[in-house]
Amino acid sequence: QVQLVESGGGVVQPGRSLRLSCAASGFAFSSYGMHWVRQAPGKGLEWVAAIWYDGSNKYYGDSVKGRFTISRDNSKNTLFLQMNSLRAEDTAVYYCARDSSGSGGAFDSWGQGTMVTVSS
Amino acid sequence: QSALTQPASVSGSPGQSITISCTGTSSDVGGHNYVSWYQQHPDKAPKLMIYEVTNRPSGVSNRFSGSKSGNTASLTISGLQAEDEADYYCSSYTSSSTLVFGGGTKLTVL
């Protein structure tokens, strides 16, 4: 069955960096666009970034553009999110999600999420 | 990238129908048919309920339906059940090739 497992979250000081990973299994990872979505404590969902199935195109939300980088390794079925210059407002649960509509945003599978806390 | 506009809360009694609206602009909801709806129970990952405005993934009850008119999409839940109580989010593809979510709607089953 489709499985997405995030890792790499934790507590980090403002201005520092963190790299999240999302290990995929149970499907042809290299055939799907992938996304990161986050949810601050008690708040709604916020789209963070997307990457095409082959990594050729990447898109970012305004709040993370220039600080976060999405990437993937199709040989290892893994999605990444490199987060630099972290701010308190980046504190959230970060989910990776599979896009079943190419890049149209139909997230049919989600990971369990990994918590990132930015605090001094 | 302004968030799509959803009502903060809706409620209904078991067996009734409710509709949640999701209003955007011609650059997102009105300009594409890539509108999705998600259900999220407390401390759980979201679940896809509707995609491409009207389509239901396999396994989702036919009590859930989606529609769109102009810049506003809607999710209708008929025959409300206790387990439908959750937060619901809409999302839309945008003309900038990005995605945007709505602020979320808390559904209470009375």
Side-chain angles (χ1 to χ4, degrees):
Chain A
Q1 73 282 17
V2 174
Q3 192 168 16
L4 298 170
V5 179
E6 301 96 337
S7 62
V11 180
V12 61
Q13 293 180 328
R16 304 297 290 263
S17 299
L18 207 59
R19 189 195 199 200
L20 305 184
S21 299
C22 170
S25 61
F27 67 101
F29 179 72
S30 61
S31 297
Y32 286 85
M34 297 294 295
H35 299 248
W36 288 97
V37 176
R38 69 184 181 183
Q39 187 168 34
K43 302 298 184 181
L45 301 174
E46 180 185 10
W47 176 78
V48 173
I51 186 168
W52 279 23
Y53 68 101
D54 59 355
S56 60
N57 285 285
K58 305 174 185 181
Y59 303 96
Y60 299 92
D62 287 344
S63 61
V64 307
K65 199 176 299 183
R67 299 187 300 122
F68 289 12
T69 301
I70 189 171
S71 62
R72 65 191 297 160
D73 184 340
N74 284 346
S75 69
K76 296 182 178 178
N77 292 343
T78 305
L79 176 72
F80 302 101
L81 185 68
Q82 177 67 41
M83 304 186 295
N84 298 332
S85 303
L86 282 162
R87 306 166 180 167
E89 53 265 37
D90 295 320
T91 294
V93 174
Y94 284 74
Y95 296 100
C96 63
R98 184 180 81 166
D99 193 335
S100 64
S101 64
S103 59
F107 304 149
D108 66 340
S109 294
W110 296 65
Q112 84 289 351
T114 187
M115 183 70 202
V116 172
T117 302
V118 183
S119 174
S120 54
Chain B
Q1 287 174 339
S2 298
L4 306 176
T5 300
Q6 297 181 231
S9 63
V10 298
S11 63
S13 299
Q16 289 186 330
S17 295
I18 63 95
T19 297
I20 300 172
S21 62
C22 170
T23 301
T25 69
S26 58
S27 295
D28 39 63
V29 174
H32 308 276
N33 283 328
Y34 287 117
V35 175
S36 300
W37 288 91
Y38 300 88
Q39 175 192 68
Q40 187 180 34
H41 287 109
D43 298 320
K44 298 293 186 183
K47 175 186 177 183
L48 180 66
M49 305 304 285
I50 296 288
Y51 67 98
E52 293 173 13
V53 180
T54 61
N55 297 317
R56 263 189 324 274
S58 174
V60 172
S61 170
N62 59 9
R63 297 185 297 106
F64 291 82
S65 62
S67 63
K68 190 183 83 167
S69 177
N71 295 337
T72 298
S74 299
L75 172 71
T76 298
I77 309 174
S78 59
L80 268 180
Q81 299 179 0
E83 57 262 37
D84 298 333
E85 185 162 295
D87 293 326
Y88 290 85
Y89 295 91
C90 62
S91 74
S92 174
Y93 184 73
T94 80
S95 57
S96 303
S97 300
T98 60
L99 286 157
V100 61
F101 279 98
T105 298
K106 182 176 181 60
L107 169 62
T108 300
V109 180
L110 301 170

